[in-house]
Amino acid sequence: MCRGKGKVVWRAVTDQQFGDLITQYEKLVYTICYQFTRNHHTAQDLAQEAFLSAYSHLDSCPEGNEKPWLARIATNKAKDFLKSAYNRKIYATADDTLPEDKGALFMAATQPEDITIEKDTVEQIAQDIRNLKEPYQQVAILYFLEEKTVDEIATQLERPPKTVHTQLYRAKHKLQQTLKGGDTDEFVF
């Protein structure tokens, strides 16, 4: 069945037609999954899950809109994976001050030295964020460390969202300069 303009229409899709759909969109679905996860094996698994989900929910596919429908399924599968407890697993850290979601930075590290270097890098960036001057410090802490949305920050700090966007842009610029070891007091616009 296919939903379109309030109507529900049964749509019969043969295995051959679904196979053709996979062949046509497999690169798109894989690319979407890879863009989120940055891991080839994970992206392959998620792409397969996306097509399995698509097959079992063919009845909700808007006819003629297979591409955006499959893209949305792939995006949701990748986002669900990134939110999963498995993905957020943190390798042992001595400092629990970082939010649990930051543990994904440690996932790629396999050697103890790599874990230590990654942990030190994350801690240094977190410290650089805390060292920003106002009005950038509060906005950067809320956005990068507490992972709040721009709207949540604007509400909490009683600032217009446009102002928060500008302050985030400038905070990112200052952080980039700090990481490069350059002067953070000037802006070139």
Side-chain angles (χ1 to χ4, degrees):
M1 106 177 135
C2 183
R3 299 176 202 274
K5 295 188 179 181
K7 296 189 238 175
V8 177
V9 180
W10 284 99
R11 181 171 147 199
V13 175
T14 66
D15 288 342
Q16 177 62 41
Q17 289 171 323
F18 189 74
D20 293 343
L21 193 69
I22 292 173
T23 303
Q24 184 175 358
Y25 295 115
E26 65 186 341
K27 289 180 183 176
L28 169 72
V29 170
Y30 169 81
T31 301
I32 290 169
C33 294
Y34 180 77
Q35 290 296 320
F36 277 93
T37 63
R38 297 289 184 197
N39 181 298
H40 294 289
H41 298 293
T42 303
Q44 288 173 341
D45 291 344
L46 290 173
Q48 184 174 11
E49 285 181 33
F51 280 114
L52 285 171
S53 181
Y55 186 76
S56 63
H57 295 95
L58 274 173
D59 58 337
S60 66
C61 174
E63 194 166 351
N65 290 322
E66 290 84 5
K67 183 177 179 179
W69 181 71
L70 284 169
R72 175 53 50 199
I73 291 173
T75 300
N76 289 340
K77 288 292 179 187
K79 285 181 177 180
D80 288 347
F81 172 79
L82 293 175
K83 290 178 189 174
S84 70
Y86 171 79
N87 184 54
R88 293 184 313 193
K89 179 173 59 173
I90 298 179
Y91 290 94
T93 62
D95 184 1
D96 291 332
T97 59
L98 293 175
E100 193 170 302
D101 290 337
K102 300 299 182 207
L105 295 174
F106 297 108
M107 292 296 288
T110 55
Q111 301 298 321
E113 307 86 43
D114 294 338
I115 294 170
T116 302
I117 291 168
E118 289 290 331
K119 180 177 169 246
D120 291 344
T121 302
V122 169
E123 288 173 359
Q124 181 59 49
I125 292 170
Q127 188 57 46
D128 290 341
I129 290 169
R130 289 184 191 97
N131 289 339
L132 287 171
K133 294 179 182 174
E134 284 303 332
Y136 313 115
Q137 182 189 43
Q138 267 187 311
V139 171
I141 288 172
L142 291 171
Y143 187 79
F144 295 114
L145 300 181
E146 295 182 20
E147 298 182 356
K148 295 190 183 263
T149 66
V150 171
D151 291 333
E152 291 171 334
I153 295 168
T155 302
Q156 183 174 339
L157 298 179
E158 298 177 346
R159 298 177 186 167
K162 206 65 164 140
T163 301
V164 172
H165 277 290
T166 301
Q167 290 170 344
L168 275 174
Y169 172 81
R170 291 181 180 170
K172 288 176 189 177
H173 178 76
K174 285 184 175 286
L175 288 169
Q176 286 172 345
Q177 293 301 323
T178 301
L179 292 173
K180 290 179 185 175
D183 185 10
T184 61
D185 290 336
E186 342 180 335
F187 284 105
V188 178
F189 292 105

